[in-house]
Amino acid sequence: MARAIVELARDEKKRAELSEYGRKVVAERFDIRNTVKQYEELYLSLLKKKASKMKGSS
């Protein structure tokens, strides 16, 4: 691990590439639109489960 840290400290291009990749990953994973979509899908699936349970008990 120490070697990798030293290599990264010496390689400006690699640092820039990793930094850009990290920003891209964070922007995709934590984008508010994606988060809202995931919550919406979760809520809809829970509603469907509840509705199917209610139909089965009547």
Side-chain angles (χ1 to χ4, degrees):
M1 186 174 193
R3 270 188 239 142
I5 292 171
V6 170
E7 180 184 336
L8 196 55
R10 291 179 178 163
D11 191 339
E12 185 177 343
K13 182 179 176 187
K14 191 167 196 161
R15 281 195 318 269
E17 289 171 355
L18 288 173
S19 176
E20 182 59 33
Y21 176 75
R23 279 190 207 91
K24 181 181 174 186
V25 168
V26 168
E28 289 172 1
R29 287 189 184 169
F30 299 103
D31 180 79
I32 189 66
R33 291 168 290 221
N34 291 339
T35 303
V36 168
K37 182 179 178 184
Q38 289 171 347
Y39 274 111
E40 182 180 24
E41 290 171 359
L42 172 64
Y43 293 149
L44 290 173
S45 71
L46 292 172
L47 282 171
K48 285 179 185 178
K49 283 181 184 179
K50 184 168 183 154
S52 67
K53 284 183 181 182
M54 292 179 75
K55 284 181 184 180
S57 65
S58 30

